[in-house]
Amino acid sequence: MKGHLLINEDGAAIVIIFLILLPLLLITNVYYNEIERLSTGSNVTLKNNVALAAKAAAQSVDSISQANGKPMINPAKAHENFKRVLMKNLRLDSNMDPISGSPISDRVDYYLLVCNGENPFGLAEGIIYKYENGSIQTFTLSTGSLPKDFGVNNNFSVNSDGKNVTLDAPGVIAIVKAAIRPVAMSDQTETTRWASAKIIAPYAVY
């Protein structure tokens, strides 16, 4: 008695289609996982380190103003500390290019506002440091007395359509643009993160 081989042509077709689609499904899954990782990476890696760098800048207190009970920020020192923290935590060289082990894939641009407001210590009321395409530019601002509103943009100008920050004490606003290094995909995602920080001195009146 001969055996009978039962063949379900519809079932075979389904299996073949599944085998064809499986690699595509895997690639799609990797792609969306990568998008999620890029989003998470930009938030965790970049946002937290921008906040740390802004805090370091705001803590760069001028010794004379501090001795007089009205601590204010030394702009040059603030810029130096801001850049130092970014370089260390994001593994960048002095040109803000990524080195081995960096989560960043290309040169970083940043914009740093240091604001003291009017003061009797000879410190700049406001200074903007712009680092773009490997070149640094410095701009001096006449801010008047604090509090003062600033926009979160390259020029820190108040914009009714965007995010604004009020500094009611000497402080900084930092904006960093960076491309997060991809793991599985070839595309890189550029992201922008910002943070602000200010001096908290309970007994000082600005």
Side-chain angles (χ1 to χ4, degrees), residues 180-195:
I180 302 298
R181 187 183 301 279
V183 173
M185 308 301 292
S186 59
D187 294 337
Q188 62 184 22
T189 297
E190 185 174 87
T191 186
T192 301
R193 292 293 179 266
W194 70 274

Side-chain angles (χ1 to χ4, degrees), residues 82-184:
F82 171 80
K83 187 175 179 180
R84 174 180 56 79
V85 171
L86 279 186
M87 288 169 56
K88 178 182 178 181
N89 292 345
L90 296 179
R91 295 190 61 78
L92 307 170
D93 64 17
S94 59
N95 294 319
M96 306 306 286
D97 286 316
I99 60 177
S100 178
S102 174
I104 307 302
S105 61
D106 206 348
R107 177 173 291 166
V108 169
D109 290 344
Y110 65 79
Y111 310 88
L112 176 67
L113 166 69
V114 181
C115 179
N116 284 309
E118 291 180 343
N119 65 88
F121 307 111
L123 297 168
E125 294 182 13
I127 289 187
I128 295 175
Y129 296 93
K130 287 187 177 183
Y131 188 82
E132 297 176 309
N133 302 317
S135 178
I136 186 72
Q137 292 181 294
T138 305
F139 304 89
T140 302
L141 296 179
S142 178
T143 64
S145 59
L146 302 179
K148 183 76 174 181
D149 293 334
F150 297 96
V152 181
N153 52 63
N154 296 2
N155 299 311
F156 298 99
S157 56
V158 174
N159 184 351
S160 59
D161 297 328
K163 176 68 177 178
N164 297 318
V165 174
T166 300
L167 291 178
D168 56 2
V172 306
I173 302 173
I175 304 171
V176 175
K177 294 182 179 180
I180 302 298
R181 187 183 301 279
V183 173

Side-chain angles (χ1 to χ4, degrees), residues 62-74:
D62 172 73
S63 58
I64 295 177
S65 64
Q66 185 174 24
N68 283 271
K70 198 173 184 179
M72 295 193 170
I73 301 171
N74 180 317

